[in-house]
Amino acid sequence: MAIVVNIDVMMAKRKMSLNELAVKVDITPANLSILKTGKAKAIRFSTLEAVCRVLDCQPGDILEYTPEEAPQDKN
């Protein structure tokens, strides 16, 4: 996927555990784990806002766009 989720980096910088962040953001640890590992297909703006508020960061600190390589022509 072209979007990389760096919540774990910000959590480490803030010395915050997954469970602590989950409680402060009011999200289940399981759903936060899905988001943290990049397996989520979407994130609500309200959740993104809460994560940014708790981690004192910007959305760009958490989400990163990395272009995927285009498939090579076999001709």
Side-chain angles (χ1 to χ4, degrees):
M1 179 175 243
I3 302 295
V4 178
V5 181
N6 294 316
I7 288 180
D8 54 342
V9 173
M10 291 307 299
M11 287 171 49
K13 286 181 179 179
R14 305 295 188 251
K15 295 180 171 65
M16 191 174 294
S17 71
L18 184 124
N19 286 332
E20 183 181 356
L21 181 60
V23 167
K24 290 183 177 188
V25 173
D26 194 26
I27 187 173
T28 66
N31 283 339
L32 184 57
S33 180
I34 289 168
L35 182 60
K36 186 177 87 113
T37 58
K39 294 179 182 176
K41 300 293 182 196
I43 182 171
R44 292 182 182 186
F45 281 138
S46 58
T47 302
L48 181 59
E49 179 183 357
V51 168
C52 288
R53 181 178 22 77
V54 170
L55 292 176
D56 189 29
C57 65
Q58 295 294 313
D61 296 328
I62 295 172
L63 303 174
E64 175 184 349
Y65 172 71
T66 306
E68 294 180 348
E69 298 216 5
Q72 302 253 337
D73 261 347
K74 293 185 180 181
N75 294 342

